[in-house]
């Protein structure tokens, strides 16, 4: 009798799921980035890229807001000499960060634009050959907009402001990115 109850329950759950399509979306994205290290040792721009995985967790408020989880990596560097030149300084200033955080996205309404806001929490590493190498925690916020190009591709533009190394009060990196997002399933 107990096995029959489990079988009936399993069939009932399977039938409930038939009429509902899967809402989970997974997207991969990459962007060209310029990172301004405000309060950094050289206060300059570093160039590189950002890449990440975005997983939609669900929709709320009449399916107008999507809650997602975002795992993102930023990898930027400066390959030029310091200005003014520092004796012994060679190219190789780098800033790498890995963050995770929630993202809230509004459904496209005006010209297929979807604005979003996101919180970031993670770790970053700064390195230059002369002054220091530091690995510390990173807390920040991000805002941007995506534009649907096709059923699988979006263009994206975003801005991120972070507080890096707050145990020592070092840097406030600001990242400007432009790139593309690929959705694994059609929308």
């Amino acid at each position: 009798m107990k096995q029959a109850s489990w079988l009936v329950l399993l069939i009932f759950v399977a039938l409930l799921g038939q009429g509902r399509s899967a809402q989970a979306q997974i997207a991969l994205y990459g962007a060209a980035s310029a990172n301004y290290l405000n309060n950094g040792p050289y206060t300059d721009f570093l160039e590189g890229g950002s890449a990440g995985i975005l997983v939609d967790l669900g929709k709320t408020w009449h399916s107008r807001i999507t809650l997602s989880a975002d795992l993102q990596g930023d990898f930027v560097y400066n390959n030029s000499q310091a200005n003014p030149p520092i004796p012994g300084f060679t190219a190789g200033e780098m800033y790498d960060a890995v963050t995770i955080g929630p993202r809230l996205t509004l459904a496209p309404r005006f010209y297929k634009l979807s604005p979003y806001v996101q919180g970031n929490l993670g770790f970053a590493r700064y390195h230059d050959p002369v002054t220091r190498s530091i690995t510390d925690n990173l807390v920040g916020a991000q805002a941007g907009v995506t534009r649907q190009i096709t059923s699988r591709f979006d263009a994206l533009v975003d801005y991120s402001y972070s507080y890096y190394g707050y145990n020592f009060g070092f840097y406030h990196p600001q990242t400007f990115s432009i790139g593309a997002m690929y959705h694994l399933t059609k929308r």
Side-chain angles (χ1 to χ4, degrees):
M1 185 68 176
K2 214 173 205 185
Q3 289 176 342
S5 298
W6 281 104
L7 182 60
V8 170
L9 180 63
L10 183 62
I11 291 172
F12 179 70
V13 170
L15 289 174
L16 283 177
Q18 289 285 336
R20 193 174 162 138
S21 62
Q23 289 186 9
Q25 275 279 348
I26 297 176
L28 308 172
Y29 63 90
S33 298
N35 194 308
Y36 179 66
L37 286 179
N38 194 13
N39 293 337
Y42 306 111
T43 314
D44 55 0
F45 277 93
L46 284 76
E47 300 87 22
S50 299
I53 299 172
L54 184 68
V55 179
D56 290 350
L57 301 176
K59 296 182 184 255
T60 184
W61 195 54
H62 308 289
S63 296
R64 300 292 302 147
I65 297 176
T66 303
L67 175 64
S68 306
D70 186 17
L71 176 63
Q72 178 175 326
D74 295 311
F75 311 98
V76 292
Y77 64 97
N78 186 346
N79 217 11
S80 62
Q81 294 291 326
N83 188 14
I86 298 172
F89 180 79
T90 57
E93 185 181 10
M94 296 182 297
Y95 171 80
D96 301 326
V98 175
T99 59
I100 190 167
R103 178 184 284 195
L104 294 174
T105 306
L106 290 176
R109 198 162 169 88
F110 182 70
Y111 291 111
K112 297 182 183 179
L113 296 175
S114 297
Y116 63 87
V117 293
Q118 175 176 325
N120 296 322
L121 181 64
F123 289 93
R125 175 154 178 81
Y126 172 81
H127 172 77
D128 69 62
V130 174
T131 333
R132 59 184 58 97
S133 289
I134 303 163
T135 302
D136 210 335
N137 29 359
L138 176 80
V139 176
Q142 190 169 336
V145 65
T146 62
R147 164 92 167 53
Q148 184 176 347
I149 305 294
T150 68
S151 62
R152 290 192 187 251
F153 282 99
D154 291 351
L156 68 92
V157 175
D158 72 21
Y159 168 77
S160 168
Y161 182 85
S162 302
Y163 200 64
Y164 166 60
Y166 63 87
N167 288 337
F168 304 104
F170 282 130
Y171 311 130
H172 302 282
Q174 300 177 54
T175 305
F176 307 91
S177 302
I178 185 167
M181 180 180 292
Y182 175 75
H183 296 269
L184 296 181
T185 57
K186 287 185 178 181
R187 296 169 288 155

